[in-house]
Amino acid sequence: MAYEDASLAQGNVITVNRESLRLRLERFPWWFLVILLVTAVTALIITTKSTYTEAFGFIRAGLSVTIMTTISAYFIALIVGIVTGLGRISRNVVFKNLATFYVEVVRGIPMLVLIFFIALVLVPAVTSSLNALGERLSAVGLGGLGAFFSSVTNKGVPMQLRAVIALSVTYGAFSAEIFRAGIQSIHKGQMEAARSQGMTYGQAMRYIILPQAIRNVLPALGNDFISMLKDSSLVSVLAVRDITQVAKLYAGQTFRYPEAYLTLAVLYLSMTMLLSLGVKALEKRFQSS
Amino acid sequence: MSGEDNIIVIRDVSKWFGKVQALRKVNLNIRRGSVAVIIGPSGSGKSTLLRCINHMEVEDEGEILIDGQRLPRSEKWINAVRADIGMVFQHFYLYPHLTVLENITLAQRIVRKRSKEEAERIAREQLSRVGIAEKADSFPAQLSGGQQQRVAIARALAMNPKIMLFDEPTSALDPEMIKEVLDVMLDLAKAGITMVVVTHEMGFARAAADEVVFMDDGQIIEQGEPAMVFDHPRHERTRLFLSQILHK
């Protein structure tokens, strides 16, 4: 009997092992392995095939523009987003309506159209009204300030700056909604407790509500950064020399389309994969605590 | 004046929520250093009345005087008054992202403008007072309900309030934790802190209250010493309410 029991137990152990192996095979992120493979193969091709090496060398030149545009637009969008998010839940009628107006307008217009509009209509409009203001100021004797305003020419605003402005305006509205949802997810008792201690609305927001809200929305903000990186490719329509634009130029000059666009696609993919791993780690860290 | 030192004066206060009238011309005086316990069925307006005392709710009619000063209606001036009135909530509302010590020091520092050292010293004093000095570096989520509520009491006391308001402080607690919170409140009552307590704990009311206030339908039906209200209620509604909650 004892022998039988032991063998039975052993059999069980084996089935358990088989089970867990099957489970592990099922859970294994195969998709990720494929992406790694594709990236590795492309990297191999880039290092061995001369046309690909050339294409990569060309496209790499746009990397700093892509990264700088993404990072600067993202951080401006965060600031715009917090302010607008607070506006969306504000009891101040003017503030609330301004914030809602901005968010709804941006959400209702395709990003590509917004980029054209902001870069080619809004920025020139602002510079020309600044110029008009400058002339007025000069006329009333404020020559120094007037000359400064007059000196801001439309051409003086580089396309990359316009691209950053356009992306910040667009993503500011997106992150505003993230912040608003984050703030509203905090129980209203937190605000009550803080206010009952004599804190002002602003102090309660700053010390009690926002720290908790931002913690809750960190993964969403991380995903926003990944989206921003991808959408930064849209600024190529303004002839800003990001990786998409230089790839386009390369393809146009050489007619080597696979070299240009495979390299470009894999470049974006490896950056976004890396970032999404970071976001997942962030999610895990804040779930456990 | 009449010689009575009323720290809270509530005069003809009415309050509506939409079309529902929560308070109907309520008048109530609370003497300095006394303990008032407000009882009554749910929806009788007792929590609303409590929340009017520090303007978490603003009365629509009438006026409330704290220490002889009329409660200001403007956002700007209310904060100074609130800093002097501690409030303890049914669901504690500790700040979950801060440690126990930080929970107690934050408002001291940004509202009372105390130094970090002073705020921490006071926080530790109050934590010892409520019997959980060793939990200073824990986070609220690591504490039991009873411990969390005691931290909330310490947080309110650290501001050196003139008045303490308790809004059903034991209603969200497991039965075995109610006593530890009531014991702390009893100590405060003995120490002469002015307290206004909304609760269903009749034992506490008997032991600690100078005055029991029975409310129903937005009105004060009767008030008096605990023995009077509990043993010889004058009104039928009080009698009915007491018989319901005391399972007689």
Side-chain angles (χ1 to χ4, degrees), chain A residues 91 187-201 203-204 206-212 215, chain B residues 51 54 56 75 78-79 82-83 85 87 89 93-98 103 106-107 110-111 113 155-156 159:
Chain A
R91 274 182 296 181
H187 195 284
K188 70 174 176 36
Q190 291 289 311
M191 177 59 88
E192 281 196 350
R195 297 303 308 269
S196 82
Q197 290 199 285
M199 288 187 217
T200 63
Y201 179 86
Q203 286 172 332
R206 179 174 157 202
Y207 294 102
I208 305 301
I209 309 296
L210 281 180
Q212 296 181 59
R215 211 180 143 122
Chain B
R51 291 163 58 82
N54 64 348
M56 299 305 286
E75 278 272 304
I78 192 67
N79 295 311
R82 282 187 183 147
I85 303 178
M87 190 165 202
F89 301 86
Y93 299 143
L94 295 181
Y95 312 131
H97 60 302
L98 302 177
N103 261 275
L106 180 65
I110 63 178
V111 178
K113 313 277 184 210
R155 176 176 73 178
M159 299 290 282

Side-chain angles (χ1 to χ4, degrees), chain B residues 86-174:
Chain B
M87 190 165 202
V88 175
F89 301 86
Q90 181 177 356
H91 296 285
F92 333 134
Y93 299 143
L94 295 181
Y95 312 131
H97 60 302
L98 302 177
T99 65
V100 164
L101 196 69
E102 288 163 347
N103 261 275
I104 306 176
T105 53
L106 180 65
Q108 290 190 66
R109 297 194 59 193
I110 63 178
V111 178
R112 287 272 188 251
K113 313 277 184 210
R114 288 176 186 155
S115 70
K116 188 167 187 271
E117 292 71 27
E118 193 189 2
E120 286 188 357
R121 182 179 56 73
I122 293 170
R124 288 185 196 280
E125 273 172 26
Q126 296 303 337
L127 274 177
S128 318
R129 187 175 188 177
V130 300
I132 37 175
E134 74 283 2
K135 298 290 184 188
D137 298 318
S138 304
F139 280 91
Q142 297 167 317
L143 306 181
S144 72
Q147 289 170 333
Q148 288 191 44
Q149 193 60 300
R150 285 190 277 159
V151 172
I153 293 173
R155 176 176 73 178
L157 288 173
M159 299 290 282
N160 302 105
K162 294 189 231 172
I163 300 165
M164 285 284 286
L165 307 177
F166 295 83
D167 192 0
E168 303 203 25
T170 57
S171 297
L173 294 176
D174 289 333

Side-chain angles (χ1 to χ4, degrees), chain B residues 190-248:
Chain B
K190 282 179 194 150
I193 294 176
T194 308
M195 292 164 66
V196 185
V197 185
V198 170
T199 187
H200 296 293
E201 296 294 332
M202 297 303 140
F204 172 80
R206 254 183 211 281
D210 297 294
E211 186 159 54
V212 173
V213 178
F214 174 69
M215 284 185 76
D216 195 9
D217 198 26
Q219 288 169 306
I220 293 177
I221 304 296
E222 72 174 280
Q223 63 189 94
E225 286 175 13
M228 284 295 292
V229 175
F230 287 136
D231 302 330
H232 309 287
R234 280 172 292 146
H235 287 263
E236 185 53 37
R237 274 198 273 182
T238 318
R239 221 167 288 154
L240 190 68
F241 173 74
L242 289 172
S243 72
Q244 277 164 344
I245 61 163
L246 296 175
H247 312 287
K248 274 179 191 164

Side-chain angles (χ1 to χ4, degrees), chain A residues 4 19-21 56 68 70 75 96 108 132 145 151-152 162 165 172 183 197 201 205 227 231 240 266 276:
Chain A
E4 263 181 41
E19 277 285 321
S20 71
L21 184 65
F56 182 71
M68 283 314 292
T70 304
F75 282 102
K96 186 189 178 102
L145 209 60
S151 71
V152 182
R162 296 182 200 206
I165 294 172
I183 291 168
Q197 290 199 285
Y201 179 86
M205 266 293 162
S227 298
D231 285 335
V240 173
V266 169
S276 73

